[in-house]
Amino acid sequence: MRSFTYERASSPAEAAAAAMRTEGARFIAGGTNLLDLMKLEIETPTHLIDVNGLALDKIETTTEGGLRIGALVRNTDLAADERVRRDYGLLSRALLAGASGQLRNKATTAGNLLQRTRCPYFYDTNQPCNKRQPGSGCAAIGGFTRPLAVIGTSDACIATHPSDMAVAMRALDATVETVRSDGTVRGIPIAEFHRLPGDTPHIETTLVPGELITAVTLPKPVGGKHIYRKVRDRASYAFALVSVGAIVQRDGTGRVALGGVAHRPWRVEAADAEMPRGAKAVAERLLAGARPTDENAFKLPLVERTLGAVLAEAKG
Amino acid sequence: MSKVTLTVNGANRELELDTRTTLLDALREHLQLTGTKKGCDHGQCGACTVMVDGQRINSCLTLAVMHEGDEITTIEGLGTPGNLHPMQAAFVKHDGYQCGYCTPGQICSAVAVLNEIKAGIPSHVSADLTVAQQTTAAELRERMSGNICRCGAYSNILDAITEVAGGQT
Ligand SMILES: Cc1cc2nc3c(=O)[nH]c(=O)nc-3n(C[C@H](O)[C@H](O)[C@H](O)COP(=O)(O)OP(=O)(O)OC[C@H]3O[C@@H](n4cnc5c(N)ncnc54)[C@H](O)[C@@H]3O)c2cc1C
Ligand code: SF4
Ligand code: FES
Ligand code: FES
């Protein structure tokens, strides 16, 4: 690990200002992704701003009847919150399907959204990777691609976003609240938060340098059955090959988002409209234009079948 | 270098550390508490599990300086050879290990798992999110999935935890 200096932030605006003041500064929350990558020198911050002291660890009801989840709420606490379990079961389920009990106790809402890809070549510093080292090439294309993306890819990068929680947030139409170094605040709809790789796979979100996430808000509950189905190589403690997060109403309408298939949680609003017509119709819309490799083409039928299982469970 | 004060197994410990030092390395290399093990050093095995303010975490993926004032409990703080914690005694009774390398992490994790179930925290296998959670074998297996055992002592580990859980409820 490269050496760095360390400070504890005193307020959100001060943290954002500190991040702009110091070249090479990064926020650290749970540390479960950042420290992992710092040990491998994939991330090399020269200064860490510890945001854990900021009072951003509360879950509050909003005036619109939704929830405002502090950026530092731990994944365990979010999954266990009574309101989340009752009204946003999809979010609880997605969180509980991710990582391990130990990791969820540390992982935060903001850190989870910003966790980086698990592409094996991103992790192997001997390999070219446009995301790790812009312009160096992509070792995954033509390499081992089984876990990688099938849609929204580019010639520069075919990595996936690994978060389970983000899939639920996408289906729930969450908004990411932030503060910038000049003190201004904004809300970024989750649909506009994660970017596709394009020519700049190293730029993963629409956050600007120094921008601090303060909270994630959810609109008021929409009811329906909340189901998160994750398919992976072992029964627990593994990343998704494919995951389906869905909210299904009694009349068969609803919404759906996918994990494990793209550089961001994958949702196509036009596919939601197909839900009463069944899994095949929805999957076709969701995955129109997919460009899988020979090794990961299995993800396309896997999405359709997982979706089929989810819709059957919703009826049952 | 940074200064940090931790409460480790009830005792105040003042340390001056390279800022890069993980909590795991602070425990093992600076406090000579070598019960906590380093397996992967990347959050993938659970050998380094300790409790911080009562919650289990991977001590390899957190910096010691981020724990100013925190209460850390390691395997050495749970029990002693002459006065075993019930979970330690159950692991001995049920032969919940072979080489023993994963065991301190397994035991810290197991103690925390039973507390998490009591606190009503649901898991991936909980059928209903809105009711009290049970200590079934399926629940314990899922909740212990962050602790890998290379020797494959899982079924005996499960027996040990089940016995302690039975005694508690
Ligand atoms: C072995 C293992 C298995 C895992 N399995 C899964 C899995 O199955 N599913 C899954 O979804 N995840 C999984 N994870 C990933 C885990 O969920 C993430 O590591 C965690 O959510 C990151 O949160 P954190 O608070 O620790 O982030 P940190 O490591 O602290 O930070 C991550 C990034 O976010 C930035 N950041 C943090 N907070 C803020 C903020 N408030 N504003 C702006 N930027 C911020 C940091 O600068 C950093 O770049 C796994 C991790 C490990 C190690
Ligand atoms: S797919 Fe993306 S993350 Fe993986 S090697 Fe290529 S550029 Fe890097
Ligand atoms: S050493 Fe920490 S999880 Fe493996
Ligand atoms: S007893 Fe050997 S690794 Fe678990």
Side-chain angles (χ1 to χ4, degrees), chain A residues 42 88 92 168 173 180 215 218 231 247 254 267 269 300:
Chain A
I42 294 166
Y88 306 94
S92 272
D173 286 330
R180 280 177 282 189
L218 296 178
V231 184
I247 300 174
R267 183 168 171 208
E269 270 79 357
L300 273 49

Side-chain angles (χ1 to χ4, degrees), chain A residues 26-36 43 51 56 71-72 74-75 94 97-100 103 106-116 118 162-165 207 211-214 230 232 237-240, chain B residues 42-45 61:
Chain A
R26 290 294 285 275
F27 304 121
I28 185 163
T32 61
N33 191 229
L34 188 57
L35 288 170
D36 189 3
E43 299 267 23
V51 296
L56 299 174
L72 287 163
R74 306 290 153 173
N75 287 180
S100 67
L103 288 161
K106 277 258 102 189
T108 63
T109 310
N112 193 316
L113 280 180
L114 292 173
Q115 63 174 295
R116 306 202 67 193
R118 294 277 160 171
S163 168
D164 292 295
M165 184 195 80
L207 292 175
E211 191 166 6
L212 178 84
I213 299 177
T214 50
K230 179 175 179 182
R232 43 188 159 173
Y237 201 17
F239 287 94
Chain B
H42 286 279
Q44 298 172 0
C45 76
L61 284 190

Side-chain angles (χ1 to χ4, degrees), chain B residues 96-103 106 148-153 157:
Chain B
Y97 44 79
Q98 200 175 109
C99 75
Y101 198 80
C102 71
T103 313
Q106 299 277 1
I148 308 288
C149 176
R150 188 83 200 266
C151 302
I157 292 170

